[in-house]
Amino acid sequence: MERTERGPFAVAAGALAIVATYVFFLIYAQFGLLHLLEERLGEGAAVRPAMAAMGLAGLVASLATAAALRRIPAHLALIGGLFLCAGSGLASIVAGSGEALIGCAALIGAATAILTVSLAASLRDFVPPRRIGVVAGLSTGAAYFICNLPALFEGTPSRQACVAALLCTVAAVAVALVQSQSATGADAEHGSSWERSMFARTGLAAIVLTFLALVWLDSAAFRIIQETATLKGITWGDESQKLLQGLMHFGGAVAAGWLIDRRFFRSILGAAWLLFVVSFLAIEASASWIALVGPIYAIGISAYSTALVVYPSLRDDGDGLVPRRWRAGLLYGVSGWIGSALGVGMAQDLHGIPHWFLGASGVVVAASLFYGYRSNVVRALRAATIPIACALAALALHFAYRPAPAGDAAARGSEVYASEGCVNCHSQYIRPGTFDELAWGPYHPINRSERPPFVGNRRQGPDLMNVALRRSRDWNTIHLVDPRAVSPGSRMPSYSYLFVPGDTRGSDLVAYLDTRGVEFAGERLKNVMSWKVPADLTPDAADGHELFDARCAVCHGAGGAGDGALAKELRDPAMNLLKPELRSVIRAIGADPEDAQLARVVKFGLAPASMPGHETMSDQNIVDVVAYVQELRARRAGLPNAPEAMR
């Protein structure tokens, strides 16, 4: 039987669909949406329901889509998924309530699942099998490069959602114009019995487990890098580093695609695992090696991401083979959504990837690589490795997600809080009906069962009942080591001796502070959003300049470019205030004016980011600082009357 070749337009439509899918997932569903949720709901407990809703909807929709593709043409499901992603992303940026945001997150999860499953199941209908690896590699690499462009990477969630929605819409139109045809004939390029075994039931299970391990590692590593100032700085610190990451992604994806077309699919999975292991070990090595983490990690991600989108369509349906739709549904449902949840959970609970887990994942990958290979030695090895892999996976789940022991870091930190006498200067009680409620609230009754009691009877410094809603871990660490570095004129003594190498008391104390008030994030956000700038104030940029130099320049830099002395010590690098758009400014119908939003940020901070609030500054000082910031931004933009030196 003769094969039907696809035309250039069909190939271009398939490639554009891959680009749109990955851009939407990477820059918005995985990244921008989380920032949007944290900005509007706060961090921690308030965000988790939305992320859980997205993950559960993604898992269910992946399996439901695989079942539905039996009756619905895959290219129609692909068009629907692209339009649904575009619409759900745009809907989320205008959602006004917490319930609406959770609903949008669930819709984004379902839309992403429909899109990924239908794309992976139908890719063969757009791209000739002999070139499917290269086309997928070029498209995947291009998507990663686009996501690393500074204007998009540093843009607001609104910009990220709009760009992703535009790409999805264009891709949907392109797919709709293609008269897709299924391939016929034998697949000689993937015809060996070993390769054929990858698409039978047990072979598919092995591949799904391998991708589960890789997605698990990837998700954990991404979360760890995001929460580690040094790693985040060397990975996405400045524009040149972002572009370098983009180029490494592109090169890794193209190389993987080229090798896949030459029957090295399983080798790509093994290579990706090795690259992950090398990058994780480099994190623990000396400072001279840590610079390798970003590039190596990027190549590994792009390599397995290319394999992820290609696998379901590497071979057509046939006798004894699992249909493409179920390959895609199980792959993205189990490996994608469950793997992501497990990886993020591991990073949150363990704050790292244990060596024993690297070994467990290696056993799983090895079992998959040699599954179906006809050799007595390999058969014996496989017989031993599969039960070992299952046992290690169960052990991983047990250790990663068991309840935190009583002696965990936060519990030890409360003991440090007591032993260092913090209660002598800091209360943990919000006085109802007073300044406390707006500055440090919300108010909640005293927990009279707390032992030891930290209510306090004096207050030399701010109340700490809800400090996790106002200060980040990085800020608290810097403040404890050198209080006057971030709080000019502070009377607080330095506790640097708690942070000497080998002493965990400092990190334990910070972990304890990071638990204070997290359950009240939603109430805190409502209090903050209720504050309005008094209408009778006249901003003075000159006074704001002095305040900025004294209170803000240490992080934002004297010129507001985010290059202050402490910028690199923060998990979220100090914001460049000269960017055309600021992530903290919401541009949507009904949103407050930019100066009002900036005033709220200056007064209350941007927790969980490291931007602290200035709760005790007068409202006049707040509007003065905002006036100076806007003057800096106007000069940078080259607006009329801006001094020449700042243009």
Side-chain angles (χ1 to χ4, degrees), residues 39 93 150-163 239 560 575-588 594 597-598 606 629 633-634 636-637:
E39 286 175 7
I93 63 177
L152 188 58
F153 188 95
E154 297 178 357
T156 63
S158 297
R159 174 188 289 184
Q160 292 164 347
C162 289
V163 170
E239 292 188 1
M575 184 179 291
N576 178 0
L577 300 175
L578 308 182
K579 294 186 296 185
E581 292 187 30
L582 300 176
R583 179 175 291 165
S584 57
V585 175
I586 300 172
R587 302 186 185 279
E594 179 175 304
Q597 294 188 55
L598 290 177
L606 270 180
V629 169
R633 292 173 56 76
R636 176 67 174 181

mmCIF file of all heavy atoms in Angstrom, residues 39 93 150-163 239 560 575-588 594 597-598 606 629 633-634 636-637:
data_model
loop_
_atom_site.group_PDB
_atom_site.id
_atom_site.type_symbol
_atom_site.label_atom_id
_atom_site.label_comp_id
_atom_site.label_asym_id
_atom_site.label_seq_id
_atom_site.Cartn_x
_atom_site.Cartn_y
_atom_site.Cartn_z
ATOM 1 N N GLU A 39 -0.420 36.572 43.166
ATOM 2 C CA GLU A 39 -0.685 38.000 43.284
ATOM 3 C C GLU A 39 -2.086 38.259 43.839
ATOM 4 O O GLU A 39 -2.287 39.181 44.638
ATOM 5 C CB GLU A 39 -0.557 38.672 41.918
ATOM 6 C CG GLU A 39 0.871 38.831 41.434
ATOM 7 C CD GLU A 39 0.937 39.401 40.033
ATOM 8 O OE1 GLU A 39 -0.126 39.801 39.501
ATOM 9 O OE2 GLU A 39 2.031 39.439 39.461
ATOM 10 N N ILE A 93 -7.287 36.054 33.356
ATOM 11 C CA ILE A 93 -6.692 37.362 33.683
ATOM 12 C C ILE A 93 -7.741 38.406 34.035
ATOM 13 O O ILE A 93 -7.402 39.472 34.555
ATOM 14 C CB ILE A 93 -5.784 37.876 32.545
ATOM 15 C CG1 ILE A 93 -6.581 38.109 31.275
ATOM 16 C CG2 ILE A 93 -4.641 36.917 32.300
ATOM 17 C CD1 ILE A 93 -5.743 38.681 30.132
ATOM 18 N N PRO A 150 13.271 37.677 27.026
ATOM 19 C CA PRO A 150 13.065 38.510 28.224
ATOM 20 C C PRO A 150 11.732 39.247 28.242
ATOM 21 O O PRO A 150 11.087 39.345 29.285
ATOM 22 C CB PRO A 150 14.251 39.483 28.170
ATOM 23 C CG PRO A 150 15.314 38.724 27.441
ATOM 24 C CD PRO A 150 14.589 37.910 26.412
ATOM 25 N N ALA A 151 11.292 39.774 27.086
ATOM 26 C CA ALA A 151 10.039 40.535 27.060
ATOM 27 C C ALA A 151 8.848 39.679 27.457
ATOM 28 O O ALA A 151 7.871 40.181 28.030
ATOM 29 C CB ALA A 151 9.816 41.121 25.668
ATOM 30 N N LEU A 152 8.906 38.375 27.165
ATOM 31 C CA LEU A 152 7.809 37.472 27.531
ATOM 32 C C LEU A 152 8.046 36.847 28.900
ATOM 33 O O LEU A 152 7.141 36.773 29.724
ATOM 34 C CB LEU A 152 7.670 36.375 26.475
ATOM 35 C CG LEU A 152 6.453 35.453 26.610
ATOM 36 C CD1 LEU A 152 5.159 36.253 26.586
ATOM 37 C CD2 LEU A 152 6.447 34.398 25.513
ATOM 38 N N PHE A 153 9.276 36.403 29.152
ATOM 39 C CA PHE A 153 9.610 35.753 30.422
ATOM 40 C C PHE A 153 9.358 36.706 31.591
ATOM 41 O O PHE A 153 8.850 36.306 32.635
ATOM 42 C CB PHE A 153 11.067 35.303 30.397
ATOM 43 C CG PHE A 153 11.468 34.448 31.560
ATOM 44 C CD1 PHE A 153 11.446 33.070 31.462
ATOM 45 C CD2 PHE A 153 11.879 35.007 32.763
ATOM 46 C CE1 PHE A 153 11.821 32.262 32.530
ATOM 47 C CE2 PHE A 153 12.252 34.215 33.840
ATOM 48 C CZ PHE A 153 12.224 32.840 33.718
ATOM 49 N N GLU A 154 9.725 37.974 31.434
ATOM 50 C CA GLU A 154 9.583 38.950 32.510
ATOM 51 C C GLU A 154 8.268 39.714 32.428
ATOM 52 O O GLU A 154 8.014 40.599 33.241
ATOM 53 C CB GLU A 154 10.739 39.951 32.461
ATOM 54 C CG GLU A 154 12.103 39.321 32.688
ATOM 55 C CD GLU A 154 13.221 40.341 32.592
ATOM 56 O OE1 GLU A 154 12.916 41.525 32.293
ATOM 57 O OE2 GLU A 154 14.383 39.977 32.796
ATOM 58 N N GLY A 155 7.448 39.399 31.434
ATOM 59 C CA GLY A 155 6.198 40.124 31.263
ATOM 60 C C GLY A 155 5.175 39.797 32.334
ATOM 61 O O GLY A 155 5.337 38.871 33.131
ATOM 62 N N THR A 156 4.114 40.554 32.351
ATOM 63 C CA THR A 156 3.030 40.308 33.288
ATOM 64 C C THR A 156 2.270 39.049 32.890
ATOM 65 O O THR A 156 2.317 38.627 31.724
ATOM 66 C CB THR A 156 2.054 41.498 33.291
ATOM 67 O OG1 THR A 156 1.472 41.620 31.984
ATOM 68 C CG2 THR A 156 2.775 42.793 33.643
ATOM 69 N N PRO A 157 1.551 38.424 33.827
ATOM 70 C CA PRO A 157 0.711 37.293 33.446
ATOM 71 C C PRO A 157 -0.267 37.636 32.330
ATOM 72 O O PRO A 157 -0.576 36.792 31.484
ATOM 73 C CB PRO A 157 -0.020 36.949 34.753
ATOM 74 C CG PRO A 157 0.917 37.386 35.830
ATOM 75 C CD PRO A 157 1.559 38.638 35.290
ATOM 76 N N SER A 158 -0.742 38.870 32.309
ATOM 77 C CA SER A 158 -1.669 39.276 31.249
ATOM 78 C C SER A 158 -0.993 39.205 29.885
ATOM 79 O O SER A 158 -1.570 38.708 28.911
ATOM 80 C CB SER A 158 -2.183 40.694 31.509
ATOM 81 O OG SER A 158 -2.920 40.755 32.705
ATOM 82 N N ARG A 159 0.222 39.714 29.805
ATOM 83 C CA ARG A 159 0.944 39.659 28.524
ATOM 84 C C ARG A 159 1.210 38.212 28.133
ATOM 85 O O ARG A 159 1.044 37.835 26.974
ATOM 86 C CB ARG A 159 2.267 40.422 28.619
ATOM 87 C CG ARG A 159 3.129 40.268 27.375
ATOM 88 C CD ARG A 159 4.505 40.857 27.524
ATOM 89 N NE ARG A 159 4.469 42.312 27.544
ATOM 90 C CZ ARG A 159 5.560 43.076 27.580
ATOM 91 N NH1 ARG A 159 6.761 42.508 27.611
ATOM 92 N NH2 ARG A 159 5.463 44.395 27.592
ATOM 93 N N GLN A 160 1.631 37.402 29.082
ATOM 94 C CA GLN A 160 1.929 36.004 28.784
ATOM 95 C C GLN A 160 0.682 35.272 28.299
ATOM 96 O O GLN A 160 0.733 34.488 27.344
ATOM 97 C CB GLN A 160 2.513 35.338 30.030
ATOM 98 C CG GLN A 160 3.884 35.871 30.399
ATOM 99 C CD GLN A 160 4.307 35.518 31.818
ATOM 100 O OE1 GLN A 160 3.492 35.067 32.621
ATOM 101 N NE2 GLN A 160 5.574 35.725 32.134
ATOM 102 N N ALA A 161 -0.454 35.524 28.943
ATOM 103 C CA ALA A 161 -1.693 34.879 28.531
ATOM 104 C C ALA A 161 -2.115 35.330 27.138
ATOM 105 O O ALA A 161 -2.572 34.518 26.325
ATOM 106 C CB ALA A 161 -2.802 35.186 29.533
ATOM 107 N N CYS A 162 -1.959 36.617 26.844
ATOM 108 C CA CYS A 162 -2.369 37.140 25.538
ATOM 109 C C CYS A 162 -1.491 36.589 24.420
ATOM 110 O O CYS A 162 -1.996 36.223 23.345
ATOM 111 C CB CYS A 162 -2.324 38.668 25.554
ATOM 112 S SG CYS A 162 -3.625 39.437 26.542
ATOM 113 N N VAL A 163 -0.182 36.520 24.644
ATOM 114 C CA VAL A 163 0.716 35.972 23.617
ATOM 115 C C VAL A 163 0.397 34.500 23.373
ATOM 116 O O VAL A 163 0.312 34.045 22.220
ATOM 117 C CB VAL A 163 2.187 36.149 24.038
ATOM 118 C CG1 VAL A 163 3.119 35.367 23.107
ATOM 119 C CG2 VAL A 163 2.572 37.628 24.030
ATOM 120 N N GLU A 239 19.144 39.205 30.918
ATOM 121 C CA GLU A 239 18.652 38.935 29.568
ATOM 122 C C GLU A 239 19.558 37.974 28.812
ATOM 123 O O GLU A 239 19.079 37.084 28.097
ATOM 124 C CB GLU A 239 18.503 40.253 28.803
ATOM 125 C CG GLU A 239 17.402 41.149 29.349
ATOM 126 C CD GLU A 239 17.153 42.359 28.467
ATOM 127 O OE1 GLU A 239 17.833 42.477 27.421
ATOM 128 O OE2 GLU A 239 16.271 43.173 28.798
ATOM 129 N N GLY A 560 16.748 52.287 39.793
ATOM 130 C CA GLY A 560 15.542 51.484 39.665
ATOM 131 C C GLY A 560 15.651 50.314 38.715
ATOM 132 O O GLY A 560 14.631 49.705 38.353
ATOM 133 N N MET A 575 12.939 43.620 41.397
ATOM 134 C CA MET A 575 12.286 43.982 40.149
ATOM 135 C C MET A 575 12.936 45.182 39.488
ATOM 136 O O MET A 575 13.267 46.174 40.128
ATOM 137 C CB MET A 575 10.813 44.277 40.415
ATOM 138 C CG MET A 575 10.025 44.580 39.155
ATOM 139 S SD MET A 575 8.287 44.883 39.512
ATOM 140 C CE MET A 575 7.767 43.248 40.018
ATOM 141 N N ASN A 576 13.112 45.071 38.183
ATOM 142 C CA ASN A 576 13.560 46.193 37.371
ATOM 143 C C ASN A 576 12.361 47.117 37.171
ATOM 144 O O ASN A 576 11.437 46.797 36.431
ATOM 145 C CB ASN A 576 14.100 45.674 36.035
ATOM 146 C CG ASN A 576 14.533 46.801 35.116
ATOM 147 O OD1 ASN A 576 14.440 47.981 35.466
ATOM 148 N ND2 ASN A 576 15.005 46.446 33.940
ATOM 149 N N LEU A 577 12.376 48.261 37.808
ATOM 150 C CA LEU A 577 11.238 49.172 37.766
ATOM 151 C C LEU A 577 11.142 49.932 36.457
ATOM 152 O O LEU A 577 10.166 50.652 36.229
ATOM 153 C CB LEU A 577 11.337 50.171 38.927
ATOM 154 C CG LEU A 577 11.341 49.559 40.331
ATOM 155 C CD1 LEU A 577 11.572 50.641 41.375
ATOM 156 C CD2 LEU A 577 10.041 48.824 40.595
ATOM 157 N N LEU A 578 12.129 49.767 35.587
ATOM 158 C CA LEU A 578 12.152 50.508 34.325
ATOM 159 C C LEU A 578 11.558 49.716 33.170
ATOM 160 O O LEU A 578 11.505 50.210 32.043
ATOM 161 C CB LEU A 578 13.592 50.923 33.987
ATOM 162 C CG LEU A 578 14.350 51.665 35.093
ATOM 163 C CD1 LEU A 578 15.729 52.054 34.611
ATOM 164 C CD2 LEU A 578 13.570 52.901 35.540
ATOM 165 N N LYS A 579 11.120 48.479 33.426
ATOM 166 C CA LYS A 579 10.522 47.682 32.361
ATOM 167 C C LYS A 579 9.230 48.332 31.883
ATOM 168 O O LYS A 579 8.524 48.966 32.672
ATOM 169 C CB LYS A 579 10.231 46.265 32.853
ATOM 170 C CG LYS A 579 11.473 45.461 33.182
ATOM 171 C CD LYS A 579 11.117 44.028 33.512
ATOM 172 C CE LYS A 579 10.275 43.921 34.754
ATOM 173 N NZ LYS A 579 10.037 42.513 35.143
ATOM 174 N N PRO A 580 8.894 48.159 30.602
ATOM 175 C CA PRO A 580 7.653 48.764 30.087
ATOM 176 C C PRO A 580 6.412 48.330 30.867
ATOM 177 O O PRO A 580 5.504 49.118 31.073
ATOM 178 C CB PRO A 580 7.601 48.281 28.633
ATOM 179 C CG PRO A 580 9.019 48.004 28.282
ATOM 180 C CD PRO A 580 9.657 47.494 29.536
ATOM 181 N N GLU A 581 6.371 47.052 31.285
ATOM 182 C CA GLU A 581 5.238 46.558 32.058
ATOM 183 C C GLU A 581 5.751 45.901 33.331
ATOM 184 O O GLU A 581 6.751 45.187 33.305
ATOM 185 C CB GLU A 581 4.422 45.547 31.247
ATOM 186 C CG GLU A 581 3.700 46.158 30.059
ATOM 187 C CD GLU A 581 2.774 45.160 29.393
ATOM 188 O OE1 GLU A 581 2.262 44.268 30.105
ATOM 189 O OE2 GLU A 581 2.578 45.266 28.172
ATOM 190 N N LEU A 582 5.063 46.141 34.431
ATOM 191 C CA LEU A 582 5.429 45.549 35.709
ATOM 192 C C LEU A 582 4.445 44.430 36.027
ATOM 193 O O LEU A 582 3.232 44.600 35.881
ATOM 194 C CB LEU A 582 5.393 46.597 36.821
ATOM 195 C CG LEU A 582 6.341 47.789 36.629
ATOM 196 C CD1 LEU A 582 6.146 48.792 37.751
ATOM 197 C CD2 LEU A 582 7.798 47.326 36.576
ATOM 198 N N ARG A 583 4.991 43.290 36.453
ATOM 199 C CA ARG A 583 4.135 42.135 36.720
ATOM 200 C C ARG A 583 3.114 42.429 37.804
ATOM 201 O O ARG A 583 2.014 41.869 37.822
ATOM 202 C CB ARG A 583 5.009 40.939 37.115
ATOM 203 C CG ARG A 583 4.236 39.690 37.447
ATOM 204 C CD ARG A 583 5.168 38.532 37.715
ATOM 205 N NE ARG A 583 5.845 38.114 36.503
ATOM 206 C CZ ARG A 583 6.912 37.329 36.486
ATOM 207 N NH1 ARG A 583 7.427 36.904 37.613
ATOM 208 N NH2 ARG A 583 7.474 36.982 35.355
ATOM 209 N N SER A 584 3.434 43.310 38.720
ATOM 210 C CA SER A 584 2.529 43.587 39.834
ATOM 211 C C SER A 584 1.378 44.504 39.447
ATOM 212 O O SER A 584 0.460 44.707 40.244
ATOM 213 C CB SER A 584 3.315 44.229 40.985
ATOM 214 O OG SER A 584 3.967 45.406 40.548
ATOM 215 N N VAL A 585 1.431 45.075 38.258
ATOM 216 C CA VAL A 585 0.369 45.984 37.812
ATOM 217 C C VAL A 585 -0.599 45.224 36.923
ATOM 218 O O VAL A 585 -0.216 44.679 35.888
ATOM 219 C CB VAL A 585 0.960 47.188 37.055
ATOM 220 C CG1 VAL A 585 -0.164 48.061 36.502
ATOM 221 C CG2 VAL A 585 1.851 48.004 37.984
ATOM 222 N N ILE A 586 -1.847 45.153 37.338
ATOM 223 C CA ILE A 586 -2.883 44.440 36.589
ATOM 224 C C ILE A 586 -3.526 45.397 35.595
ATOM 225 O O ILE A 586 -4.007 46.471 35.974
ATOM 226 C CB ILE A 586 -3.952 43.872 37.541
ATOM 227 C CG1 ILE A 586 -3.310 42.903 38.539
ATOM 228 C CG2 ILE A 586 -5.066 43.191 36.761
ATOM 229 C CD1 ILE A 586 -4.254 42.445 39.628
ATOM 230 N N ARG A 587 -3.506 44.990 34.340
ATOM 231 C CA ARG A 587 -4.139 45.815 33.302
ATOM 232 C C ARG A 587 -5.381 45.078 32.818
ATOM 233 O O ARG A 587 -5.303 44.230 31.940
ATOM 234 C CB ARG A 587 -3.162 46.072 32.158
ATOM 235 C CG ARG A 587 -1.881 46.763 32.619
ATOM 236 C CD ARG A 587 -0.977 47.140 31.467
ATOM 237 N NE ARG A 587 0.277 47.689 31.932
ATOM 238 C CZ ARG A 587 0.448 48.955 32.325
ATOM 239 N NH1 ARG A 587 -0.584 49.782 32.275
ATOM 240 N NH2 ARG A 587 1.622 49.387 32.747
ATOM 241 N N ALA A 588 -6.487 45.359 33.443
ATOM 242 C CA ALA A 588 -7.741 44.701 33.090
ATOM 243 C C ALA A 588 -8.881 45.677 33.334
ATOM 244 O O ALA A 588 -8.729 46.691 34.033
ATOM 245 C CB ALA A 588 -7.940 43.434 33.922
ATOM 246 N N GLU A 594 -2.540 52.691 37.652
ATOM 247 C CA GLU A 594 -1.208 52.170 37.949
ATOM 248 C C GLU A 594 -0.634 52.773 39.222
ATOM 249 O O GLU A 594 -0.046 52.064 40.040
ATOM 250 C CB GLU A 594 -0.266 52.445 36.775
ATOM 251 C CG GLU A 594 1.156 51.945 37.015
ATOM 252 C CD GLU A 594 2.059 52.117 35.807
ATOM 253 O OE1 GLU A 594 1.708 51.610 34.732
ATOM 254 O OE2 GLU A 594 3.121 52.767 35.949
ATOM 255 N N GLN A 597 -2.111 51.125 42.263
ATOM 256 C CA GLN A 597 -1.608 49.765 42.457
ATOM 257 C C GLN A 597 -0.180 49.785 42.989
ATOM 258 O O GLN A 597 0.174 48.995 43.873
ATOM 259 C CB GLN A 597 -1.662 48.995 41.141
ATOM 260 C CG GLN A 597 -3.079 48.740 40.638
ATOM 261 C CD GLN A 597 -3.104 47.805 39.446
ATOM 262 O OE1 GLN A 597 -2.577 46.691 39.503
ATOM 263 N NE2 GLN A 597 -3.710 48.243 38.354
ATOM 264 N N LEU A 598 0.647 50.679 42.470
ATOM 265 C CA LEU A 598 2.027 50.771 42.957
ATOM 266 C C LEU A 598 2.058 51.234 44.413
ATOM 267 O O LEU A 598 2.889 50.764 45.202
ATOM 268 C CB LEU A 598 2.827 51.735 42.076
ATOM 269 C CG LEU A 598 3.135 51.254 40.659
ATOM 270 C CD1 LEU A 598 3.871 52.339 39.877
ATOM 271 C CD2 LEU A 598 3.983 49.982 40.693
ATOM 272 N N LEU A 606 4.786 42.526 48.362
ATOM 273 C CA LEU A 606 4.321 41.582 47.348
ATOM 274 C C LEU A 606 4.608 40.152 47.789
ATOM 275 O O LEU A 606 5.156 39.367 47.022
ATOM 276 C CB LEU A 606 5.008 41.838 45.998
ATOM 277 C CG LEU A 606 4.339 42.803 45.025
ATOM 278 C CD1 LEU A 606 5.165 42.924 43.769
ATOM 279 C CD2 LEU A 606 2.926 42.372 44.698
ATOM 280 N N VAL A 629 9.102 56.858 41.451
ATOM 281 C CA VAL A 629 9.206 55.666 40.596
ATOM 282 C C VAL A 629 8.611 55.939 39.223
ATOM 283 O O VAL A 629 9.183 55.572 38.188
ATOM 284 C CB VAL A 629 8.516 54.459 41.266
ATOM 285 C CG1 VAL A 629 8.380 53.296 40.282
ATOM 286 C CG2 VAL A 629 9.290 54.014 42.500
ATOM 287 N N ARG A 633 10.388 55.872 35.500
ATOM 288 C CA ARG A 633 9.848 55.122 34.369
ATOM 289 C C ARG A 633 9.597 56.034 33.169
ATOM 290 O O ARG A 633 9.838 55.650 32.018
ATOM 291 C CB ARG A 633 8.558 54.413 34.786
ATOM 292 C CG ARG A 633 8.806 53.292 35.789
ATOM 293 C CD ARG A 633 7.504 52.703 36.334
ATOM 294 N NE ARG A 633 6.610 52.230 35.295
ATOM 295 C CZ ARG A 633 6.775 51.108 34.612
ATOM 296 N NH1 ARG A 633 7.829 50.343 34.865
ATOM 297 N NH2 ARG A 633 5.910 50.747 33.687
ATOM 298 N N ALA A 634 9.139 57.248 33.428
ATOM 299 C CA ALA A 634 8.901 58.195 32.339
ATOM 300 C C ALA A 634 10.209 58.594 31.666
ATOM 301 O O ALA A 634 10.291 58.697 30.435
ATOM 302 C CB ALA A 634 8.169 59.426 32.866
ATOM 303 N N ARG A 636 12.938 56.807 31.547
ATOM 304 C CA ARG A 636 13.419 55.650 30.798
ATOM 305 C C ARG A 636 12.695 55.517 29.464
ATOM 306 O O ARG A 636 13.284 55.134 28.450
ATOM 307 C CB ARG A 636 13.203 54.383 31.625
ATOM 308 C CG ARG A 636 13.573 53.094 30.924
ATOM 309 C CD ARG A 636 15.054 52.995 30.678
ATOM 310 N NE ARG A 636 15.425 51.703 30.141
ATOM 311 C CZ ARG A 636 16.668 51.342 29.842
ATOM 312 N NH1 ARG A 636 17.656 52.189 30.041
ATOM 313 N NH2 ARG A 636 16.920 50.146 29.358
ATOM 314 N N ALA A 637 11.405 55.824 29.462
ATOM 315 C CA ALA A 637 10.613 55.712 28.237
ATOM 316 C C ALA A 637 10.851 56.873 27.279
ATOM 317 O O ALA A 637 10.339 56.873 26.161
ATOM 318 C CB ALA A 637 9.128 55.635 28.593
#
